[in-house]
Amino acid sequence: MRSWVWTANLSNSIVGVSVLAMPFCIQQCGLVLGLLLLLFSSTLTKWSCGLLIRAAQISRRSSYEALALSTFGPLGKSIVEVSIIGLQLGTCIAFYVIIGDLAPPTIARITGLSWSPFVLRAVILCVAAVLIVLPLGMLRDFANLSTISVVSLSFYICFMLYLLCLALSNIFSSNLWPHLSLWNINGVFKCLPIFSLAFSCHTQLLIIYDAHPDPTLNKMNSIISDAVNLTGLLYGSVALGGYLTFCIDHVEGDVLSNFYPSLISQFMKLCFALSVVVSFPMMIFPCRVSINSLISQVRNIYILSSRISDHSFPLYSTGY
C-alpha cells in the first residue's frame, strides 16, 4: 500500500479546529515569534513520535495501551487509557460545537429556512451523527479512511489558499504595516499550549503502526515527517494569511468570525463543518481501542494490539 495513504490519514489526524486559532496565536506572539513556536512544536512532535515508534519496536508492542502496560504496569496502563478516552471524547465534543456553530446559520442563509436556531442546530447535529459519523465510525480498517482524509485535507488547502489570496490583496496597504507585531513574549504562555496540541497525533500513530503491512522504522519516520511537514506548512500559511488579512482590525480566536458575509465565506464555513464531520473516525479509532483494552483488563485480559473482536466492535462503535 502506498505511503501517501498513511501520510494522509496521519495528517488528517493532526489537522483540526486548531487551524482556526493560528492567526490569533500569531497576533498574540508576533509574526516571527509565533512562526518560531510553530516550528518548535512541529519539531518536538516529530521527535516524540519517533520515540514512540522506537519504543514500540523495541518492546514489540503495537498499541499505545500495550506500550503503557510494558512501561508503567497495569495501573499506569489504566491511567493512560482513561486519559486517551477523555482526550478523544473532549475533542469530539469540540467537533460538535464547531459543527453546531458553523452549519446551522450557514444552511439557514443558503436555504432560507426560518426554523428556530435551537431546532435547526439539533436537527443538523442528529443528521450528521446518524448519517455520517456512525457509518464512518463502523469502519474497521484505518487505511479505508484515506479517501476521506484526502478530501478533508484538500479543503484545508483551499482554505489556506483563500486566506493567502486575501492577504496578498491587503499586504500592499499602507495601513497594514503599523499594525504588524513581530515579537511579543507576553503571548507565549497563552499560545504555546495551542501550538503544542495542534500537532497532537500520538494516539493515532500507533494505530497506523499496527495497521501498516510493513512498519519499519524508516517508513514510519518518513510518514511522520511528511505528515508533520504538511500540517506545519498548512498551519503556518493559515496563520500568516489570516494575520496579514485581519490584523488591522482584530483577529478573533476563530478566524472564521472575521469573515464578512459573502457567498465564498458561507461556502468556506460549510465546507469546514463538513471536514470536521468526516474527521470523527480519527478520534473514534483510538478511543474505541482504549475502551476495549480498559474493559478487558477488568476481566484480567491484557490486549497487546489495537485489534478488536467481532462481537465487541459494533458495541463500542455505536456506544461511542
Side-chain angles (χ1 to χ4, degrees):
M1 189 175 292
R2 296 179 181 178
S3 61
W4 69 264
V5 170
W6 311 105
T7 301
N9 283 336
L10 187 60
S11 298
N12 197 33
S13 299
I14 298 173
V15 180
V17 295
S18 299
V19 69
L20 299 177
M22 290 296 131
F24 170 79
C25 292
I26 294 296
Q27 183 189 55
Q28 295 297 309
C29 298
L31 188 59
V32 175
L33 180 59
L35 292 177
L36 286 176
L37 287 175
L38 189 65
L39 179 61
F40 170 75
S41 298
S42 66
T43 303
L44 197 62
T45 299
K46 289 181 187 178
W47 178 73
S48 58
C49 286
L51 282 180
L52 268 180
I53 295 301
R54 285 196 292 273
Q57 292 195 335
I58 291 172
S59 64
R60 296 186 178 181
R61 297 291 184 265
S62 58
S63 73
Y64 208 104
E65 295 76 15
L67 187 58
L69 177 64
S70 299
T71 308
F72 303 114
L75 178 60
K77 169 181 172 291
S78 298
I79 294 174
V80 167
E81 288 164 348
V82 171
S83 300
I84 290 175
I85 293 169
L87 174 63
Q88 306 308 327
L89 286 176
T91 303
C92 287
I93 291 172
F95 280 3
Y96 275 120
V97 171
I98 290 292
I99 297 166
D101 288 344
L102 293 179
T106 304
I107 291 176
R109 289 191 185 98
I110 293 174
T111 62
L113 286 174
S114 57
W115 296 2
S116 71
F118 176 79
V119 172
L120 184 59
R121 183 188 184 100
V123 169
I124 289 174
L125 290 179
C126 289
V127 169
V130 174
L131 298 184
I132 302 177
V133 176
L134 181 59
L136 292 178
M138 296 297 291
L139 294 175
R140 295 186 66 99
D141 189 353
F142 204 75
N144 291 335
L145 297 172
S146 58
T147 302
I148 295 171
S149 295
V150 170
V151 172
S152 183
L153 289 171
S154 298
F155 162 71
Y156 289 125
I157 292 172
C158 291
F159 178 66
M160 173 195 75
L161 294 175
Y162 177 63
L163 277 178
L164 289 176
C165 290
L166 292 178
L168 284 176
S169 64
N170 199 37
I171 198 170
F172 298 108
S173 172
S174 59
N175 296 327
L176 174 65
W177 303 104
H179 293 84
L180 288 183
S181 171
L182 299 181
W183 195 280
N184 183 10
I185 198 70
N186 295 325
V188 170
F189 291 106
K190 180 186 294 186
C191 298
L192 187 57
I194 299 175
F195 283 134
S196 301
L197 286 175
F199 288 96
S200 177
C201 61
H202 301 75
T203 54
Q204 290 87 2
L205 178 62
L206 289 182
I207 293 179
I208 292 176
Y209 174 77
D210 190 31
H212 199 291
D214 184 25
T216 62
L217 184 61
N218 288 336
K219 288 182 179 179
M220 291 305 300
N221 282 335
S222 177
I223 292 170
I224 293 167
S225 180
D226 291 344
V228 175
N229 288 340
L230 175 61
T231 53
L233 178 62
L234 178 64
Y235 282 154
S237 299
V238 169
L240 183 64
Y243 179 60
L244 293 179
T245 301
F246 302 114
C247 69
I248 294 178
D249 299 320
H250 176 72
V251 181
E252 300 290 343
D254 175 1
V255 71
L256 291 175
S257 301
N258 286 104
F259 286 3
Y260 296 108
S262 68
L263 182 60
I264 295 179
S265 65
Q266 297 302 319
F267 177 74
M268 285 290 173
K269 290 180 180 180
L270 186 59
C271 287
F272 195 93
L274 289 174
S275 68
V276 170
V277 171
V278 299
S279 296
F280 268 93
M282 302 299 172
M283 308 302 122
I284 293 175
F285 267 84
C287 188
R288 185 168 51 205
V289 172
S290 291
I291 292 173
N292 180 56
S293 180
L294 186 62
I295 293 177
S296 298
Q297 183 176 330
V298 176
R299 304 195 302 266
N300 293 321
I301 300 173
Y302 293 97
I303 297 175
L304 303 182
S305 74
S306 60
R307 293 175 176 82
I308 302 175
S309 63
D310 291 338
H311 71 275
S312 298
F313 184 84
L315 177 63
Y316 297 147
S317 299
T318 54
Y320 185 86

